[in-house]
Amino acid sequence: MNPTLAILTIGVVAISEIMPLLAGQVPEDQIKHISLMGALTREEALAEYGPEPGHETMLTLLSNREIISVSRQKTEQALQHAIEMLDNQGYDVILLMSTFRFTKLQARNSILLEPQRIIPPLVASIVDGHQVGVIVPVPELLTIQEEKWAVLKNPPLYALANPISGTDQDLLDAGSMLIEQGVDVLMLDCLGYHQKHRDLLQQELDVPVLLSNVLVAHLASELLV
């Protein structure tokens, strides 16, 4: 039987960006995409996933390009239910496309790929002591970065550039600022960044650029052989 892949997202993610990386390994009609909130309005998303007192919050992008804050606990519970459903349906690989780290997700039979468990040590092995500059879209994401990149030999430097509401020049300015501070590898750490953003930085600034969703898609494609 041909391998099967399920892509699980929280909000809106440009799945079309990673499809070319997977198409050679699994037919597109054997790839299933489930989004928890991608088709919800702001009111619907907050009604189901809105934070309650004591809950941690996380950001997600809706189809109207609005970023909202939702409960990490409620989101993780919903993700686990979706994983169990996909696992029971016999998918070989379940790829979670999210920049947030969850701690309780698990699958019984499927291979579950969680970028935030995989990407930091993978990047650490790639950069091997080089100074990394991490670009994120909004200040709220900076609070989770220090723990996430603790595996790097040199603590990364950070800059902001919003791929949704910002411009190409904003991205170039962020990259240039990091390079001036001594960065020699850039990391685009948000699912809103696409290959066009990576290509722009590499061409204009002549610096290696890593894109988190491309790294995990390549890994998924290897597991689907």
Side-chain angles (χ1 to χ4, degrees):
M1 293 179 62
N2 290 326
T4 54
L5 167 70
I7 301 175
L8 182 56
T9 64
I10 296 170
V12 172
V13 174
I15 298 300
S16 60
E17 289 286 320
I18 66 168
M19 279 299 188
L21 303 174
L22 302 168
Q25 308 297 343
V26 58
E28 192 165 333
D29 61 1
Q30 291 181 254
I31 300 177
K32 182 173 186 175
H33 173 215
I34 293 179
S35 176
L36 295 184
M37 307 179 209
L40 301 183
T41 65
R42 182 180 189 276
E43 291 73 21
E44 291 169 338
L46 290 177
E48 188 167 355
Y49 298 101
E52 297 180 5
H55 281 199
E56 296 177 44
T57 60
M58 54 180 289
L59 302 177
T60 194
L61 178 67
L62 301 181
S63 59
N64 66 354
R65 299 170 68 87
E66 180 182 4
I67 298 174
I68 65 168
S69 180
V70 296
S71 164
R72 187 193 63 78
Q73 286 90 333
K74 291 181 181 179
T75 301
E76 186 169 33
Q77 185 177 41
L79 287 173
Q80 181 59 41
H81 288 160
I83 289 168
E84 291 171 1
M85 178 192 70
L86 294 167
D87 200 356
N88 290 334
Q89 291 175 358
Y91 281 88
D92 295 294
V93 176
I94 301 172
L95 172 57
L96 173 63
M97 299 294 290
S98 171
T99 56
F100 285 85
R101 182 180 177 91
F102 300 96
T103 59
K104 300 178 182 178
L105 301 180
Q106 56 183 339
R108 290 181 296 106
N109 300 307
S110 305
I111 297 174
L112 175 62
L113 293 181
E114 298 180 69
Q116 298 318 300
R117 286 194 301 108
I118 297 167
I119 296 301
L122 177 59
V123 170
S125 68
I126 293 172
V127 301
D128 190 27
H130 287 271
Q131 181 61 59
V132 177
V134 179
I135 301 178
V136 295
V138 292
E140 291 83 352
L141 291 179
L142 291 172
T143 58
I144 64 173
Q145 295 294 315
E146 183 176 353
E147 178 183 359
K148 177 177 180 178
W149 297 109
V151 296
L152 294 179
K153 181 178 179 180
N154 300 319
L157 302 177
Y158 300 97
L160 298 173
N162 195 311
I164 306 299
S165 60
T167 64
D168 287 350
Q169 190 59 52
D170 293 336
L171 185 62
L172 289 172
D173 289 344
S176 297
M177 181 188 71
L178 290 171
I179 292 171
E180 290 172 1
Q181 295 174 1
V183 162
D184 53 7
V185 179
L186 293 176
M187 177 73 196
L188 294 174
D189 193 29
C190 172
L191 297 179
Y193 297 120
H194 303 156
Q195 295 198 64
K196 65 180 181 180
H197 299 118
R198 182 191 64 180
D199 293 344
L200 175 68
L201 289 171
Q202 288 186 162
Q203 292 167 6
E204 296 296 325
L205 303 181
D206 192 27
V207 62
V209 181
L210 300 174
L211 185 58
S212 56
N213 55 358
V214 169
L215 290 173
V216 75
H218 277 302
L219 178 57
S221 70
E222 292 297 323
L223 292 171
L224 291 167
V225 174

